[in-house]
Amino acid sequence: IATIPNYLEIKNQEILYGVAGKSIGVYTANNNRDLKAMFLFNSKPLQYDRHNAAEQKQILADVFAGEKGWEVAKLVEKIHDSTDFYLDFIAQAHMQVLYKGRIALAGDAAYCPSPASGQGTSVALVGAYVLAGELKNAGSDYDKAFAQYQNVMQNFIAQNLKIAPVTLKGMIAPSKLNLYMRNMMFHMPRLFAGMNRQVMQFIQKAANSITLKDY
Protein backbone atom coordinates (compact mmCIF):
# COMPACT_ATOMS: atom_id res chain seq x y z
CA ILE A 1 0.00 0.00 0.00
CA ALA A 2 1.19 3.54 -0.72
CA THR A 3 0.00 7.11 -1.05
CA ILE A 4 0.01 8.59 -4.57
CA PRO A 5 -1.50 11.75 -6.11
CA ASN A 6 -5.18 11.54 -7.05
CA TYR A 7 -4.51 11.68 -10.76
CA LEU A 8 -7.79 9.81 -11.38
CA GLU A 9 -9.64 12.83 -9.94
CA ILE A 10 -12.18 10.68 -8.13
CA LYS A 11 -14.02 11.95 -5.04
CA ASN A 12 -14.94 9.93 -1.97
CA GLN A 13 -14.70 6.69 -3.91
CA GLU A 14 -13.01 3.33 -3.89
CA ILE A 15 -12.28 1.42 -7.10
CA LEU A 16 -11.34 -2.26 -7.23
CA TYR A 17 -9.75 -4.12 -10.12
CA GLY A 18 -8.80 -7.77 -10.20
CA VAL A 19 -7.24 -10.51 -12.26
CA ALA A 20 -6.74 -14.12 -11.21
CA GLY A 21 -4.48 -14.20 -8.15
CA LYS A 22 -4.10 -10.42 -7.98
CA SER A 23 -6.18 -7.44 -6.89
CA ILE A 24 -5.75 -3.67 -6.85
CA GLY A 25 -7.78 -1.14 -4.91
CA VAL A 26 -7.56 2.63 -4.77
CA TYR A 27 -9.47 4.93 -2.46
CA THR A 28 -9.38 8.66 -1.85
CA ALA A 29 -7.59 10.22 1.12
CA ASN A 30 -6.64 13.64 2.50
CA ASN A 31 -9.83 15.35 1.32
CA ASN A 32 -9.53 13.68 -2.09
CA ARG A 33 -6.07 15.13 -2.75
CA ASP A 34 -4.42 11.71 -2.65
CA LEU A 35 -5.11 8.07 -3.35
CA LYS A 36 -4.20 5.08 -1.24
CA ALA A 37 -3.18 2.38 -3.70
CA MET A 38 -3.33 -1.18 -2.39
CA PHE A 39 -1.94 -4.21 -4.23
CA LEU A 40 -2.72 -7.77 -3.21
CA PHE A 41 -1.27 -10.89 -4.79
CA ASN A 42 -0.81 -14.58 -4.10
CA SER A 43 2.80 -15.74 -3.85
CA LYS A 44 5.17 -18.11 -2.18
CA PRO A 45 7.01 -16.70 0.86
CA LEU A 46 9.18 -13.76 -0.24
CA GLN A 47 12.69 -12.98 0.97
CA TYR A 48 13.63 -9.30 0.88
CA ASP A 49 15.37 -6.56 2.81
CA ARG A 50 12.72 -4.87 4.95
CA HIS A 51 14.83 -1.69 5.03
CA ASN A 52 15.14 -1.46 1.24
CA ALA A 53 12.02 0.19 -0.15
CA ALA A 54 13.41 0.26 -3.69
CA GLU A 55 13.83 -3.52 -3.66
CA GLN A 56 10.30 -3.97 -2.34
CA LYS A 57 8.86 -1.68 -5.02
CA GLN A 58 10.66 -3.72 -7.66
CA ILE A 59 9.09 -6.91 -6.31
CA LEU A 60 5.69 -5.31 -6.82
CA ALA A 61 6.62 -4.10 -10.30
CA ASP A 62 7.78 -7.60 -11.28
CA VAL A 63 4.58 -9.22 -9.99
CA PHE A 64 2.34 -6.86 -11.97
CA ALA A 65 4.55 -6.60 -15.05
CA GLY A 66 2.57 -7.37 -18.19
CA GLU A 67 -0.80 -6.48 -16.65
CA LYS A 68 -2.24 -4.08 -19.24
CA GLY A 69 -5.77 -3.72 -17.90
CA TRP A 70 -7.30 -0.57 -16.43
CA GLU A 71 -4.68 1.70 -14.75
CA VAL A 72 -2.42 -1.07 -13.48
CA ALA A 73 0.78 -0.04 -15.28
CA LYS A 74 0.37 3.64 -14.35
CA LEU A 75 -0.39 2.86 -10.70
CA VAL A 76 2.70 0.67 -10.43
CA GLU A 77 4.77 3.41 -12.05
CA LYS A 78 3.56 6.00 -9.54
CA ILE A 79 4.41 3.72 -6.64
CA HIS A 80 8.12 4.34 -7.33
CA ASP A 81 7.72 7.99 -6.24
CA SER A 82 5.79 7.18 -3.07
CA THR A 83 7.52 7.98 0.23
CA ASP A 84 5.32 5.80 2.45
CA PHE A 85 5.37 2.51 0.52
CA TYR A 86 4.66 -0.51 2.73
CA LEU A 87 5.03 -4.17 1.77
CA ASP A 88 4.18 -7.12 3.98
CA PHE A 89 2.52 -10.50 3.89
CA ILE A 90 -0.97 -11.09 5.25
CA ALA A 91 -0.52 -13.28 8.30
CA GLN A 92 -2.11 -14.27 11.57
CA ALA A 93 -0.75 -15.03 15.02
CA HIS A 94 -1.96 -18.33 16.49
CA MET A 95 -0.68 -18.69 20.06
CA GLN A 96 -1.63 -21.68 22.19
CA VAL A 97 -0.63 -19.78 25.34
CA LEU A 98 -0.68 -16.00 25.72
CA TYR A 99 1.76 -15.75 28.63
CA LYS A 100 4.93 -17.16 30.16
CA GLY A 101 6.28 -16.22 33.55
CA ARG A 102 5.83 -12.50 34.12
CA ILE A 103 5.21 -11.76 30.42
CA ALA A 104 1.78 -11.67 28.77
CA LEU A 105 1.17 -10.85 25.12
CA ALA A 106 -1.62 -8.64 23.81
CA GLY A 107 -2.63 -7.13 20.48
CA ASP A 108 -1.11 -8.36 17.23
CA ALA A 109 1.76 -10.09 19.05
CA ALA A 110 -0.77 -12.40 20.70
CA TYR A 111 -3.64 -12.80 18.26
CA CYS A 112 -3.18 -10.82 15.06
CA PRO A 113 -6.24 -11.63 12.90
CA SER A 114 -4.58 -9.90 9.87
CA PRO A 115 -5.72 -6.80 7.95
CA ALA A 116 -8.03 -9.01 5.89
CA SER A 117 -10.25 -9.46 8.94
CA GLY A 118 -10.79 -5.77 9.69
CA GLN A 119 -10.77 -6.78 13.37
CA GLY A 120 -7.17 -6.13 14.43
CA THR A 121 -7.79 -2.93 16.39
CA SER A 122 -11.04 -4.20 17.91
CA VAL A 123 -9.52 -7.45 19.15
CA ALA A 124 -6.47 -5.61 20.49
CA LEU A 125 -8.61 -3.15 22.45
CA VAL A 126 -10.76 -5.92 23.90
CA GLY A 127 -7.64 -7.87 24.88
CA ALA A 128 -6.03 -4.87 26.57
CA TYR A 129 -9.25 -4.20 28.49
CA VAL A 130 -9.55 -7.80 29.67
CA LEU A 131 -5.86 -8.06 30.62
CA ALA A 132 -5.96 -4.82 32.62
CA GLY A 133 -9.21 -5.86 34.30
CA GLU A 134 -7.95 -9.29 35.30
CA LEU A 135 -4.71 -7.80 36.65
CA LYS A 136 -6.80 -5.45 38.76
CA ASN A 137 -8.98 -8.26 40.07
CA ALA A 138 -6.03 -10.52 40.88
CA GLY A 139 -4.03 -7.91 42.76
CA SER A 140 -0.39 -8.99 42.78
CA ASP A 141 -1.11 -12.56 41.61
CA TYR A 142 -0.13 -12.18 37.95
CA ASP A 143 -0.23 -15.96 37.38
CA LYS A 144 -3.92 -15.97 38.24
CA ALA A 145 -4.55 -12.83 36.15
CA PHE A 146 -2.80 -14.20 33.07
CA ALA A 147 -4.59 -17.54 33.26
CA GLN A 148 -7.95 -15.83 33.57
CA TYR A 149 -7.06 -13.46 30.70
CA GLN A 150 -6.38 -16.49 28.50
CA ASN A 151 -9.60 -18.17 29.61
CA VAL A 152 -11.76 -15.13 28.88
CA MET A 153 -10.16 -14.38 25.52
CA GLN A 154 -9.63 -17.78 23.88
CA ASN A 155 -13.05 -18.22 22.24
CA PHE A 156 -13.17 -14.57 21.14
CA ILE A 157 -9.74 -14.94 19.55
CA ALA A 158 -10.71 -18.17 17.79
CA GLN A 159 -13.85 -16.64 16.31
CA ASN A 160 -12.04 -13.58 14.95
CA LEU A 161 -9.21 -15.64 13.43
CA LYS A 162 -11.80 -17.37 11.23
CA ILE A 163 -12.69 -14.15 9.37
CA ALA A 164 -9.63 -13.54 7.18
CA PRO A 165 -9.62 -16.89 5.32
CA VAL A 166 -13.21 -16.16 4.27
CA THR A 167 -12.76 -12.52 3.26
CA LEU A 168 -9.50 -13.18 1.37
CA LYS A 169 -11.37 -15.39 -1.09
CA GLY A 170 -13.41 -12.35 -2.05
CA MET A 171 -10.42 -10.00 -2.13
CA ILE A 172 -8.20 -12.15 -4.36
CA ALA A 173 -9.98 -14.42 -6.84
CA PRO A 174 -7.91 -17.59 -7.19
CA SER A 175 -8.93 -18.31 -10.80
CA LYS A 176 -10.49 -16.70 -13.87
CA LEU A 177 -13.73 -18.56 -13.15
CA ASN A 178 -13.88 -17.21 -9.60
CA LEU A 179 -13.11 -13.75 -10.91
CA TYR A 180 -15.89 -13.97 -13.50
CA MET A 181 -18.40 -15.15 -10.90
CA ARG A 182 -17.38 -12.37 -8.52
CA ASN A 183 -17.69 -9.70 -11.20
CA MET A 184 -21.10 -11.03 -12.26
CA MET A 185 -22.27 -10.75 -8.67
CA PHE A 186 -21.63 -6.99 -8.75
CA HIS A 187 -24.17 -6.75 -11.59
CA MET A 188 -26.81 -8.51 -9.49
CA PRO A 189 -27.64 -6.10 -6.66
CA ARG A 190 -29.88 -8.48 -4.73
CA LEU A 191 -27.35 -11.31 -4.87
CA PHE A 192 -24.51 -8.97 -3.92
CA ALA A 193 -26.52 -7.53 -1.03
CA GLY A 194 -27.31 -11.04 0.21
CA MET A 195 -23.67 -12.15 0.07
CA ASN A 196 -22.51 -8.95 1.73
CA ARG A 197 -25.10 -9.40 4.46
CA GLN A 198 -23.82 -12.92 5.17
CA VAL A 199 -20.23 -11.73 5.46
CA MET A 200 -21.20 -8.85 7.74
CA GLN A 201 -23.24 -11.17 9.96
CA PHE A 202 -20.25 -13.49 10.17
CA ILE A 203 -17.99 -10.63 11.27
CA GLN A 204 -20.61 -9.26 13.66
CA LYS A 205 -21.00 -12.66 15.29
CA ALA A 206 -17.24 -12.86 15.86
CA ALA A 207 -17.07 -9.29 17.14
CA ASN A 208 -19.78 -10.00 19.71
CA SER A 209 -18.57 -13.44 20.78
CA ILE A 210 -17.41 -12.11 24.13
CA THR A 211 -19.30 -10.58 27.05
CA LEU A 212 -17.11 -7.98 28.69
CA LYS A 213 -17.07 -7.71 32.46
CA ASP A 214 -17.42 -4.39 34.22
CA TYR A 215 -14.10 -4.45 36.03
Side-chain angles (χ1 to χ4, degrees), residues 80-164:
H80 289 285
D81 295 325
S82 174
T83 59
D84 64 352
F85 180 82
Y86 177 76
L87 175 71
D88 205 349
F89 53 87
I90 294 180
Q92 294 185 320
H94 290 252
M95 302 289 290
Q96 293 183 337
V97 181
L98 301 177
Y99 62 94
K100 183 177 181 180
R102 297 177 61 87
I103 304 297
L105 299 179
D108 280 353
Y111 28 74
C112 173
S114 94
S117 71
Q119 285 293 95
T121 302
S122 299
V123 177
L125 285 170
V126 169
Y129 175 80
V130 172
L131 177 57
E134 294 301 335
L135 284 167
K136 175 181 180 294
N137 281 355
S140 61
D141 190 349
Y142 61 85
D143 278 326
K144 179 181 178 181
F146 291 168
Q148 186 61 15
Y149 163 59
Q150 168 111 20
N151 182 56
V152 172
M153 288 292 294
Q154 57 188 2
N155 178 64
F156 180 65
I157 293 169
Q159 295 303 315
N160 281 276
L161 286 173
K162 293 178 181 178
I163 297 172

Side-chain angles (χ1 to χ4, degrees), residues 10-135:
I10 59 176
K11 294 183 178 181
N12 305 317
Q13 283 183 276
E14 180 175 7
I15 300 176
L16 302 175
Y17 175 82
V19 295
K22 305 173 189 177
S23 182
I24 297 177
V26 296
Y27 59 91
T28 51
N30 299 326
N31 292 320
N32 296 311
R33 291 191 301 272
D34 297 322
L35 293 175
K36 297 291 185 180
M38 180 173 64
F39 299 79
L40 300 171
F41 57 93
N42 292 328
S43 78
K44 295 178 180 179
L46 298 173
Q47 299 297 325
Y48 58 89
D49 183 352
R50 292 183 175 273
H51 300 284
N52 189 335
E55 178 188 359
Q56 296 170 33
K57 291 176 181 179
Q58 190 58 50
I59 290 173
L60 186 72
D62 292 341
V63 168
F64 285 88
E67 297 294 344
K68 304 299 183 182
W70 189 50
E71 296 283 323
V72 178
K74 188 172 289 186
L75 286 168
V76 172
E77 180 183 339
K78 290 187 177 295
I79 286 296
H80 289 285
D81 295 325
S82 174
T83 59
D84 64 352
F85 180 82
Y86 177 76
L87 175 71
D88 205 349
F89 53 87
I90 294 180
Q92 294 185 320
H94 290 252
M95 302 289 290
Q96 293 183 337
V97 181
L98 301 177
Y99 62 94
K100 183 177 181 180
R102 297 177 61 87
I103 304 297
L105 299 179
D108 280 353
Y111 28 74
C112 173
S114 94
S117 71
Q119 285 293 95
T121 302
S122 299
V123 177
L125 285 170
V126 169
Y129 175 80
V130 172
L131 177 57
E134 294 301 335
L135 284 167

